[in-house]
Amino acid sequence: MELRAPVILILLSSIVILSYLFNLLSKKTRLPSVLMLIATGIGIKYLAAHYGFAGADVTKLVKILGATGLIMIVLEAALDLKLGRDKLRLIGDSFFSALFIFLFSAFGIGILIMQWLHVSFELAFLYAIPMSIISSAIIIPSTSHFEEKRKEFIIYESSFSDIVGILAFNYMLAPNVVSLVTAGRFFVNVGLVILLSLAATFLLLYIILNIKVGLKFFLIFSVLSFLYGLGELIHLPSLMIVLVFGLVINNYNLLLNTKFIRRFDTTGIDGVLETMRSITAETSFLIRTFFFILFGYTIDLSVLMQPDVWELGSIIIIILLLVRYFYLRVILKTPAFPMLLLMPRGLVTILLFYSIPVSKSIGGFNNGILFFVVAVSSILMMFGLLFSKDNGQYLEKSEEAI
C-alpha cells in the first residue's frame, strides 16, 4: 500500500498536534511527555504492521534527529542561563554533581555489565556511559514550575552531564584507552575545542550584530550544526561550542566594555535574543517530538518479556539511585527528594548507544535494557515532579544547600 502526499502531510501534522496535547497533559499530570511520545511510536509501529506497511529501518534518521535535537536543546538551555559572580558556586556545584554522579554511575554499571556478561571492563564501561548521562532533553522542559535557583542547577547539571558523558564516550572509542598518548591527545582536543568555542562564538556574535537582514537565525543554527558535526568527525567535545555560544550571547552585557562589542550597535540585541529563544524552543520541540516517536517505532515490546531485561535494568536503576543519593546527602548535604528522582535518561543515552561501533559491540547485551532504563528513569522523574509540586516549601528550605 502506498501513502499519498496529502495523507503523509495529515499524519505528520497530527503527530505535532498530538505532541502539543501531550505537553499540556504533562503539565497537568507531571507524566513525562517523552513516555507518551515513545508509546505513540510503538503504537504507530504495530498499526503499520497491522495494515500491511513494511517496517522501515529508521535508525539512521533517529541518529540525525538526535544530534540536531541535542544542539537545539543545549542552546535553548544556555539561552536561559545568566552568568555572574553570584552564580559561581551554583555552576561549580552543578558541574561537580554531574561529574561525580556520572563517573561513579558509569563505573558501577560497567562492573555490573562486565560481571553479568563476562566481557572486558573497557567494553562494559563503553556501554555504561550512555546510561550514566542525565537527559537534558527530558529534564529541562520539565523544570518550568521550579524556582529560579533550582531550575538553573538542573539545567547546568544536565548540560554538564551531556558534555562530560560525550567526552568520556569519545575517549573510549580510541584504539588504546590506557595509553598516555591517547590521554594526551584527549586533553589537547579539549583545549582545542575551548579555543574553537571562543572563535565560533565571536563569529556568530559578528553575524548577529552586523548582519541586518531578518533571515539570519537559521544561518546561525547552521553554523553551529556545521561546527558540531565537524567536531564529532574528529572526536572533539563539540557540544561545548553550543553551550559557550548560548551563554555568551545571553550574557552579552558582560562584554559591553570590550573593543569587539563597542564596534557594533547593540540596542536591538534584546529583541534578537527573544526571537532566537522563540525559534530555538519551537525547533527543539519539533525535533524532540519526531525523535522520540521514531525511537518508539524501533522498540520491540517482546524484549520486555525477557528476564535479563528486568533483572539487569533494575540493578542499573538501583545503582543510579544509590550514587545520586550519596552525592546529594553526603557531599552536597541537601535533602534528597525530589532531586534524587530527577535523573531521566533519554536523547543522549539513545544517540550514544546507537553510535557504538560494531567493533566494540557486546553481542549478549539486550537492547531492551536501554528502553527499560529510559522508561523507568522517566517514570521516577514523574514521581519527583509530583513530589516537588505537592511540597513547594521544599524548594525554599533547600535553596541555601544548593
Side-chain angles (χ1 to χ4, degrees):
M1 189 183 298
E2 184 179 350
L3 286 176
R4 296 194 305 170
V7 177
I8 295 175
L9 187 62
I10 290 170
L11 289 174
L12 293 177
S13 302
S14 299
I15 288 172
V16 175
I17 294 168
L18 194 62
S19 184
Y20 271 104
L21 294 176
F22 286 163
N23 261 14
L24 294 175
L25 184 61
S26 178
K27 289 178 181 178
K28 295 290 184 183
T29 63
R30 302 299 181 211
L31 177 66
S33 59
V34 61
L35 291 182
M36 293 183 266
L37 290 171
I38 292 174
T40 302
I42 295 171
I44 290 173
K45 177 180 180 177
Y46 283 97
L47 278 174
H50 178 75
Y51 286 104
F53 292 101
D57 184 6
V58 296
T59 305
K60 288 185 178 179
L61 189 54
V62 169
K63 290 181 182 180
I64 294 169
L65 283 175
T68 311
L70 187 60
I71 294 168
M72 302 305 294
I73 288 159
V74 172
L75 180 59
E76 181 185 5
L79 289 174
D80 277 335
L81 294 173
K82 288 292 183 182
L83 296 176
R85 291 190 177 184
D86 58 323
K87 305 287 186 183
L88 290 179
R89 182 181 174 187
L90 177 68
I91 294 171
D93 284 342
S94 57
F95 173 76
F96 284 110
S97 173
L99 181 63
F100 179 95
I101 292 172
F102 166 77
L103 286 177
F104 280 85
S105 297
F107 274 104
I109 296 170
I111 292 170
L112 171 67
I113 294 174
M114 180 183 69
Q115 297 291 336
W116 194 286
L117 299 177
H118 306 290
V119 295
S120 69
F121 180 74
E122 181 181 330
L123 290 180
F125 188 74
L126 181 65
Y127 270 72
I129 287 172
M131 291 181 284
S132 303
I133 301 172
I134 299 172
S135 174
S136 56
I138 298 176
I139 189 64
I140 289 174
S142 305
T143 60
S144 57
H145 69 291
F146 282 5
E147 51 82 41
E148 197 61 27
K149 276 198 172 182
R150 180 70 52 174
K151 179 180 177 180
E152 287 183 336
F153 180 86
I154 291 170
I155 291 173
Y156 274 119
E157 183 193 31
S158 59
S159 298
F160 283 135
S161 183
D162 286 345
I163 292 169
V164 169
I166 292 170
L167 272 170
F169 186 84
N170 287 338
Y171 180 80
M172 292 302 296
L173 292 180
N176 187 3
V177 296
V178 295
S179 166
L180 287 176
V181 174
T182 302
R185 187 182 295 118
F186 172 77
F187 287 109
V188 168
N189 286 346
V190 171
L192 183 62
V193 85
I194 291 173
L195 294 175
L196 185 60
S197 299
L198 294 174
T201 296
F202 283 108
L203 169 65
L204 293 168
L205 270 174
Y206 175 83
I207 293 173
I208 291 171
L209 296 173
N210 200 49
I211 297 179
K212 301 302 179 184
V213 296
L215 302 174
K216 58 186 172 184
F217 297 106
F218 281 99
L219 172 61
I220 293 167
F221 300 147
S222 297
V223 172
L224 282 175
S225 299
F226 174 83
L227 293 171
Y228 175 86
L230 185 64
E232 287 297 297
L233 283 176
I234 56 178
H235 302 300
L236 291 177
S238 46
L239 194 63
M240 195 177 296
I241 298 171
V242 182
L243 182 64
V244 169
F245 167 71
L247 288 173
V248 170
I249 189 64
N250 194 46
N251 296 273
Y252 73 94
N253 56 301
L254 300 178
L255 302 173
L256 288 177
N257 293 325
T258 62
K259 291 182 180 179
F260 178 82
I261 296 295
R262 282 203 302 265
R263 296 177 182 177
F264 305 105
D265 179 16
T266 60
T267 53
I269 196 170
D270 289 325
V272 172
L273 267 173
E274 195 58 39
T275 306
M276 186 179 291
R277 288 191 190 101
S278 177
I279 293 174
T280 304
E282 294 283 349
T283 308
S284 61
F285 165 79
L286 193 65
I287 294 170
R288 192 165 54 237
T289 293
F290 286 102
F291 174 84
F292 285 112
I293 289 280
L294 288 174
F295 174 63
Y297 186 86
T298 65
I299 292 170
D300 181 6
L301 286 180
S302 63
V303 298
L304 292 178
M305 300 298 106
Q306 300 173 16
D308 63 321
V309 170
W310 287 84
E311 292 170 6
L312 192 55
S314 297
I315 299 173
I316 288 172
I317 291 292
I318 291 170
I319 290 172
L320 294 175
L321 288 171
L322 287 175
V323 172
R324 191 165 179 82
Y325 181 84
F326 178 84
Y327 185 83
L328 290 171
R329 291 297 296 139
V330 178
I331 297 179
L332 203 56
K333 300 186 186 302
T334 184
F337 294 97
M339 292 293 290
L340 173 65
L341 303 179
L342 303 184
M343 52 159 215
R345 269 56 186 165
L347 192 148
V348 183
T349 298
I350 299 164
L351 184 61
L352 292 185
F353 191 83
Y354 282 146
S355 299
I356 295 174
V358 177
S359 60
K360 291 182 177 284
S361 62
I362 300 175
F365 189 88
N366 192 322
N367 291 355
I369 296 167
L370 177 72
F371 172 60
F372 182 91
V373 171
V374 170
V376 173
S377 62
S378 296
I379 292 170
L380 289 174
M381 185 189 75
M382 176 187 71
F383 287 111
L385 294 174
L386 287 170
F387 185 91
S388 66
K389 178 184 176 183
D390 294 337
N391 297 272
Q393 291 183 349
Y394 164 82
L395 298 175
E396 298 175 9
K397 290 178 181 178
S398 62
E399 182 177 331
E400 292 182 2
I402 286 182

